[in-house]
Amino acid sequence: MHTVHQVSVLTGVSVRTLHHYDQLGLLTPTQVTEAGYRLYDEAALKRLQSILIYRELGFPLKEIKAILDDPAYDPKQALSRQIALLECQRKRLDGIIAFARDMETQGEIRMEFQVFDKTEQEKLQAEAKEKWGGSAAWQSWEQQGAKRPYQQQAQDGNRLMAKLAAIGSLREKGAAAPEVQAAVGELQQLITDCFYPCDKETLRGLGQMYVTDERFRRNIDKAGGEGTAQFVSEAIGVYCG
């Protein structure tokens, strides 16, 4: 057993944060002594590891709790997905770091923004509005999602691409594999939570667009490797029947 102070020293997580996790029911102590001391066993430390990885990926605490408390939660499967998400995040950061180092080497600030993908993202958003602007889903996003701070919108976009990459990492299992279909369900929920209500009809349309629109295909394959967009589209097709 480890005291809350020992866990703090071991993990670098403040005692205050550990208390907060306890209040949220995210990480409850294994035992509380009569004197009120919180004690944590190895299982609790493993759960804390998962929490910290999801936090690095930008997942909200509420969502992390839902993931870890899900009866179908599989630690090994979850770790594989976390690795895929972290690798996707690393690719993006490596691109930004290389771009910054190149500027430093040349001693000048270049007006290039491709590495951030912002211009293309805005162009795609404008086209999406033209196509779906009258739909209830888009109106819901404009009323809620579009009002989020830009940083939150960017984080949501990164989470979406990471989720698509994570599905792509499972392509050797086949589009109909249970774990692939479960990941597509998570994708549908992510879109609903971060952007707009995503029923199966909407999801099916997105799956088709991922392969018919060359820019979507290119960006998704860039995030998860060649063939990711095609596989995600096939998996969505199975999921939506």
Side-chain angles (χ1 to χ4, degrees):
M1 289 286 193
H2 304 271
T3 66
V4 67
H5 178 71
Q6 290 172 334
V7 172
S8 178
V9 172
L10 179 66
T11 64
V13 179
S14 70
V15 172
R16 181 177 181 180
T17 297
L18 291 171
H19 287 177
H20 181 56
Y21 288 174
D22 183 12
Q23 292 172 353
L24 296 176
L26 178 61
L27 181 69
T28 57
T30 307
Q31 179 183 340
V32 179
T33 68
E34 293 182 0
Y37 292 106
R38 294 173 169 86
L39 300 177
Y40 299 83
D41 62 6
E42 294 303 313
L45 292 180
K46 288 182 180 179
R47 183 179 172 98
L48 179 57
Q49 283 182 327
S50 295
I51 293 170
L52 296 178
I53 294 176
Y54 279 121
R55 288 298 288 158
E56 285 294 326
L57 291 166
F59 281 63
L61 295 178
K62 182 179 180 180
E63 187 170 335
I64 296 173
K65 185 177 186 302
I67 292 172
L68 298 181
D69 290 346
D70 188 332
Y73 175 74
D74 183 336
K76 290 184 178 180
Q77 186 181 90
L79 183 59
S80 296
R81 291 177 184 171
Q82 287 174 329
I83 291 171
L85 292 170
L86 289 168
E87 288 178 341
C88 180
Q89 188 179 76
R90 182 182 63 184
K91 286 180 183 179
R92 181 174 180 275
L93 288 175
D94 284 346
I96 295 174
I97 291 170
F99 176 73
R101 283 178 174 167
D102 189 39
M103 285 196 300
E104 182 182 40
T105 300
Q106 296 187 20
E108 62 179 0
I109 302 298
R110 302 201 315 273
M111 297 303 290
E112 297 180 11
F113 300 95
Q114 295 92 332
V115 69
F116 302 104
D117 288 331
K118 183 178 178 182
T119 302
E120 187 166 5
Q121 180 179 337
E122 291 176 346
K123 187 185 299 182
L124 291 172
Q125 183 174 316
E127 292 179 4
K129 182 174 183 178
E130 181 179 354
K131 184 174 182 179
W132 295 311
S135 70
W138 184 270
Q139 291 171 14
S140 174
W141 180 82
E142 285 203 316
Q143 292 173 3
Q144 300 177 22
K147 294 180 180 179
R148 294 184 180 184
Y150 174 76
Q151 184 178 8
Q152 181 63 52
Q153 291 185 45
Q155 187 179 72
D156 290 342
N158 289 338
R159 288 176 58 201
L160 174 62
M161 294 306 293
K163 176 60 69 178
L164 293 170
I167 295 175
S169 71
L170 301 172
R171 50 182 171 270
E172 291 185 0
K173 297 181 180 296
E179 52 266 58
V180 174
Q181 290 299 294
V184 174
E186 293 170 0
L187 171 67
Q188 182 183 25
Q189 188 61 53
L190 174 62
I191 295 171
T192 296
D193 292 342
C194 297
F195 301 101
Y196 42 74
C198 183
D199 55 19
K200 286 193 174 182
E201 182 178 355
T202 301
L203 184 62
R204 183 184 292 111
L206 289 172
Q208 294 170 354
M209 186 173 65
Y210 290 160
V211 291
T212 58
D213 189 300
E214 181 57 33
R215 286 165 299 179
F216 274 102
R217 177 194 286 269
R218 183 172 63 251
N219 285 332
I220 294 171
D221 283 355
K222 182 178 178 181
E226 187 175 354
T228 296
Q230 181 64 43
F231 179 74
V232 170
S233 181
E234 293 173 1
I236 289 175
V238 174
Y239 182 84
C240 295

